Amino acid sequence: MTDLPPQTSIKRWFVTTNHKDVGILYLATGLFFLVFGGVLALLMRAHLWQTGGLGILEASEYNQSVTTHGLLMVFWFLSPFAFGFANYIVPLQIGAKDLAFPRLNALSYWFYLFSGLLIGISFFQQSAFAGGWTMYAPLNVPMFRTVTEATAGGNTTILGLTLFIMSVTIGTVNFLTTIHRSRAEGLGLWNLPLFTWSILLTVWMMLFAFAALLAALLLLSSDRIMLTQYFSTEQGSSLLWAHLFWFFGHPEVYIVFFPALGIMFETFQTFTGRRLVGRKWVIIAMVLVAVQSFLVWMHHMFLTTINLEIKTLFMATTIGISLPFDLMVFALIYTMVKGRVRFTTPFLFSLGALVLFILGGITGVFLGAVVLDYEFRGTYWVVAHFHYVMVSGATALFGGLYYWWPKISGKMYSEALGKLNFAVYFVGFNLLYFPMFLAWETPRRVFHYPGSTQPYHQLATVGAFIFGASFLIMFATFVHSWIRGPDAPDNPWQFSRTAEWATASPPPLENWPDRPSYTSGHLEFVDDTATDGGVDGATANGGAMAEDVHRTAVATDHADHASVWPFMIGVGMFVTFLGLSGLTPYVAEFAMARGLEVAQPGTAEIRYPLLTLAGVAVLGYALFEFGRERFRAPELAIAERWPFDGVGTTKLGVWFFLASDVVVFGAVIGAYVFLRIHIGWNEWGPVPPSTLAGLFNTYVLLTSSFTVVLALVMAERGNRSGLVASIGATLLLGLTFLGVKSWEWSEEFAHGVYWFTDLEYSVYFFTTGLHALHVILGLLLAGFLLYRIVAADAYLEDHRPVEFFGLYWHFVDIVWVFLFPLFYLM
């Protein structure tokens, strides 16, 4: 499918791959999940009107509500809403025609939507997950939860979050590749708009942080569905989860806040009429925060048994990370002082965000001190601080919605309604959360509290409903604007300075009538059709474009913007994960028949295996058609690509994906090392039945790497038979590896050893199983390559797909080189 239906057609929103459409979908869906999480919050606040609760929610229902509220707001609202703006605005700001991989951009959205639907469905599977949004071990595994919470509902929540992270990974790779490879000619990294800078640093953090959480969730899903024992033992499981989760969790604070910070920079510049004071130092400060965010996670673990010296070190890094933020805050303040402020609605929200963030940051310093953290941890002081930081980011995002609404909708909004919205919002927020500092002795996530704090809780509940009313005003403002608002000019703001305001409101399908260029020092448009050097100049003016020339040679008018297969892949993943959520009872029956004592997690229902099979069938077909579809992405023939001039677009995307996968395997292998050291290294011998089998498999995989290299050589030489033979040999070697691995596992089973038998067996089966899954995915890719070669003589003219497959296959082989000595020799 290549034709894009009009925006008035429902079909368009299921097939579009255009970045602006996907951005609108993200924004609308993010607002839906905001309302979803907000309703849960209002239920909780109403329940907390009096000391013993009003009886609106039972204990389990309260725990489900507080857990799902936290998950929805942190994962399904804040970051996706910000990336709705990123999808719409970043390509416009850098002069691109779309993201580097438009179909993957659509796929990322559908994974996001379906992951959120899984969270909603979990409430209808007896019980949603109720262990808190941080999902601390061992309360996150079946044997430590009630019967209903151990079944499909809790599993669906975990699997929904896993699918969400898959969406994040795809989007992260896409944005990194786009910003590094699709900037307009003359637009160096240093001169990027500050919103784009904030998104660039955000996706760099996301690439590694979310990979660590994905590893943790894969381990947790294995514990919940397959009954492995990573987080169900007393041998370091709680500490292991805390390390994995908070290695993600603290960078997540900056992942959420950086896009909001970028919006604040843009709106402060526009509505003060001057350039941000200390711009280069602000960029350096953001880079420092992005790096240092991975060095502070342990301050969330001050109450654990970690020794005081390490706690003191992380206290220092925690306080140290506040210094770059001090610089950014003062830069914003001085920009106001030196400018002429116009108090428009976007600026009021950005200014409010700055005030709230300062309060949140100051109160966070208390938690960064080890001694004070012992007193405040687990109280409403943390709840108040957390919301002052996170919702300050949301406040700036709402300012961004007002700021870019004329560009997105083509309509102006009512300033009077907008300012009323801000006033109600700001009063409601502070009335809701500031009393929590005063009621700090209240334990968090508990649905009754000391009577002495009841007045503060009642103030907070009143504030919650005022805060909720502000969103009704916001929605009314935009509906009024859409129906009755005047048409917006291309640039409604007098001192805006970024490229999105240089095109129509809303922008045309491919953003620009001509090619944007900054070679003269300012934005101008070049008509490449007037010369014959548009594509031929790509290698000379964009840097090492040889392997992408065939894509840029496609005329812009013939680029594609529609594909139904991202949606169908999303459907397949949704059905598959929904089916997997109900498989725990089957595994439990199998385990109990083999002597494992485990709480019976509900009744086995045949619909779940059937759903799994149906989902896999839909997913397999959709992926096959996705691979066969001829899709031509819009791309600039001439662009800035430093520091990746010599790397093609798709190849760079593969490298970014593999970097994320390195962190996943690093976390899984790190979990093995952590648990083994915790138990005692010498107490844990080699698990596999035969060292020789592992050695043989090592030789098999190393040989398969050679056949992949040979396949690339054959493709470069145009040797069809040699290419078929090389890919076929790789397939056979991969199947041989899996055959030997199956023999190893069957030997363990024959001797009564299973993945649920003991911790060391859980670690062995999971880690080698995750690697085997990567081998299977590689074999499916090899099989598809072989099909394309035989059916269409593919890859003889363009050998790059063979090279990209080789990068993935070599990575799989390298991982095994690490796994072999760890599990077979030590």
Side-chain angles (χ1 to χ4, degrees), residues 337-386:
V337 170
K338 293 178 177 292
R340 298 181 62 184
V341 178
R342 286 169 298 284
F343 289 97
T344 62
T345 302
F347 181 80
L348 286 172
F349 273 94
S350 293
L351 179 60
L354 179 62
V355 173
L356 297 179
F357 179 72
I358 291 172
L359 288 170
I362 291 172
T363 56
V365 173
F366 289 78
L367 298 170
V370 175
V371 175
L372 291 175
D373 190 69
Y374 272 82
E375 187 70 20
F376 287 125
R377 179 64 61 187
T379 71
Y380 261 50
W381 183 278
V382 177
V383 177
H385 154 72
F386 183 77

Side-chain angles (χ1 to χ4, degrees), residues 504-524:
S505 297
L509 186 61
E510 291 184 355
N511 299 342
W512 319 101
D514 296 310
R515 177 173 60 83
S517 173
Y518 288 87
T519 53
S520 65
H522 62 273
L523 177 63
E524 59 184 7

Side-chain angles (χ1 to χ4, degrees), residues 173 176-177 180 204 207 644 652-660:
V173 169
L176 283 171
T177 307
H180 283 299
W204 270 115
L207 185 71
F644 298 106
L652 184 60
V654 172
W655 277 116
F656 285 137
F657 166 74
L658 293 179
S660 177

Side-chain angles (χ1 to χ4, degrees), residues 126 131 139 145 154 168 223 256 300 356 376 387 392 420 436 443 455 471 528 599 707 726 740 782 807:
Q126 294 183 306
L139 299 178
R145 303 304 300 161
V168 167
D223 274 12
V256 166
H300 293 276
L356 297 179
F376 287 125
H387 283 85
S392 69
L420 174 64
M436 294 184 186
F471 292 99
D528 284 332
T707 59
S726 301
V740 174
L807 292 174

Side-chain angles (χ1 to χ4, degrees), residues 633-750:
E635 186 170 347
L636 292 175
I638 303 173
E640 290 295 328
R641 296 183 168 91
W642 186 89
F644 298 106
D645 288 347
V647 184
T649 299
T650 307
K651 187 175 182 179
L652 184 60
V654 172
W655 277 116
F656 285 137
F657 166 74
L658 293 179
S660 177
D661 216 9
V662 166
V663 177
V664 172
F665 270 105
V668 171
I669 294 172
Y672 158 79
V673 174
F674 176 87
L675 290 171
R676 188 163 179 179
I677 291 175
H678 193 88
I679 294 170
W681 191 270
N682 294 327
E683 300 297 321
W684 190 333
V687 174
S690 171
T691 301
L692 288 177
L695 181 62
F696 175 76
N697 260 351
T698 303
Y699 283 119
V700 167
L701 279 188
L702 291 176
T703 304
S704 71
S705 274
F706 171 75
T707 59
V708 169
V709 173
L710 191 61
L712 180 59
V713 173
M714 293 297 113
E716 290 174 340
R717 293 180 178 179
N719 187 334
R720 181 179 183 275
S721 59
L723 180 57
V724 169
S726 301
I727 295 293
T730 304
L731 268 170
L732 291 175
L733 288 167
L735 291 171
T736 301
F737 174 88
L738 292 178
V740 174
K741 180 57 61 181
S742 298
W743 172 82
E744 281 186 358
W745 284 23
S746 64
E747 281 293 300
E748 297 283 13
F749 299 159

Side-chain angles (χ1 to χ4, degrees), residues 15 147 270 290 393 512-513 623 626 652 768:
V15 302
V147 171
T270 297
W512 319 101
L623 285 169
F626 184 91
L652 184 60
T768 58

